[in-house]
Amino acid sequence: SLAACGEKTEAPKENEKPVVKIGATLPLSGGFAETGVLSQQAMQMALDKWKAKDTKYDYQLFVEDDVSEPKKAVLNAQNFINTKKVQAIMTMFGIVDRPVDEIANDNKVISLSCSYGKTDVLEYAANNCVQNHRVAETLLPKLKKENIKKVALVMTNTAVSRVVGDYFAERLPQEGFEVVAYEKYNMDTRDMRMSILAMEEKQPDYYLTFATHPLTDIFVKQLQETVDKRNVASFGSFPEMDPSLFPLVENLWTIYSVAGTDEFAKEFENKTGSLLKSCNANSYDNMDMLIWAFENTPVKEGKVLPDTADVAAKLKSIQNWQGATGNVSFENGVVSPKAELRMYQNGKWVKIEE
């Protein structure tokens, strides 16, 4: 009932611009803290770009830590809507974004996410992240080139990981590959040795993994320790490993879902001192496009800000936007950048030209 008041916006004082308020619930602590902090910095970069212009509105960003926990993200979203009176909320990762979308949509608040495996969005929601069909476009030719016939899928028992695993468990056999195992580990799993031995009995040519940190780290390490093998690639989780463990995946290939043009990657490193991680460039684009949509949506008579429904529609109408993730076009509220193949060599994720 309190949230219903959130649509009301106080009229600005003379010579003041109306303020658009944006909330961001991000993992600023816990296993994804580095990625969350860098996404916050990416959002701020986009915000600073617009602050240097003569915009119609001022923009205010509120940021809260959700530790990648859905309950904390929901509380953050409720606080943004009920107390801060935001017009939009930004999230990252499929662990938290779905419940935030629902709360935002119920309160006519725009919700922007960076979430793998999410192709359906609500009226006020939009998503910007590499999706399964893009991964398949890159993965399938690589598997065929390497003459890989039998694969084992290694996933986390979480919603986003299951979306990826379920898709490829169905798609790979359609393309002539045999899925000999589909293992889903709970987040608290620390010993995978017995399951590795069980999968080895089925003689997979390769293991394909999309396990949430730290499970990717544990699986790659224990695969080597248990059966002395390194026949593993990832759907995008290698770059999210603990950097101190990157030597474990030296010369191993991965789908590289850390979207971002070379130009933006260089600018980002110059400004933050850090390399891009997952969702950083996507978060920049989400902020950039959101502000553009507010600036370019007409205001109805008697209002000081455009209606969020109109802004959401304007946002999702964007085509061929030249952004941090490359050429951006929405389809049914979703942007899916192209996926690349990369290999970790000498401290860098190097593009593989196929």
Side-chain angles (χ1 to χ4, degrees), residues 115-120 127-141 163-168 171 174-175 235 255 329-340:
S115 180
Y116 193 174
K118 178 181 175 184
T119 56
D120 295 317
N127 185 36
N128 177 0
C129 188
V130 66
Q131 300 300 322
N132 284 326
H133 69 283
R134 288 292 200 181
V135 173
E137 291 170 357
T138 301
L139 174 69
L140 297 176
V163 167
V164 178
D166 291 352
Y167 176 90
F168 284 99
R171 179 72 185 273
Q174 295 172 355
E175 301 290 338
F235 290 104
I255 297 296
S329 294
F330 278 94
E331 183 177 351
N332 298 322
V334 177
V335 173
S336 182
K338 291 183 178 179
E340 299 177 343

Side-chain angles (χ1 to χ4, degrees), residues 94-95 98 116-117 156-166 210 212:
I95 304 170
R98 272 75 166 180
Y116 193 174
T156 309
N157 194 18
T158 59
V160 63
S161 192
R162 288 194 301 271
V163 167
V164 178
D166 291 352
F210 188 72
T212 307

Side-chain angles (χ1 to χ4, degrees), residues 143 146-152 177-178 180 199-200 202-208 223 229-233 253:
L143 295 178
E146 298 295 329
N147 199 32
I148 294 167
K149 304 291 186 182
K150 299 164 67 176
V151 300
F177 302 97
E178 182 181 358
V180 299
M199 286 188 284
E200 274 293 295
K202 300 177 182 179
Q203 300 180 324
D205 299 319
Y206 239 76
Y207 293 89
L208 300 177
L223 180 68
K229 289 187 176 181
R230 302 177 73 247
N231 56 333
V232 56
W253 57 271

Side-chain angles (χ1 to χ4, degrees), residues 200-221:
E200 274 293 295
E201 291 180 359
K202 300 177 182 179
Q203 300 180 324
D205 299 319
Y206 239 76
Y207 293 89
L208 300 177
T209 182
F210 188 72
T212 307
H213 173 81
L215 298 188
T216 298
D217 317 43
I218 296 169
F219 178 78
V220 173
K221 187 173 186 291

Side-chain angles (χ1 to χ4, degrees), residues 274-292:
S274 299
L275 299 176
L276 282 174
K277 294 182 76 68
S278 294
C279 287
N280 297 162
N282 312 71
S283 295
Y284 178 97
D285 277 347
N286 282 351
M287 179 66 77
D288 197 18
M289 293 187 293
L290 175 67
I291 295 176
W292 176 87

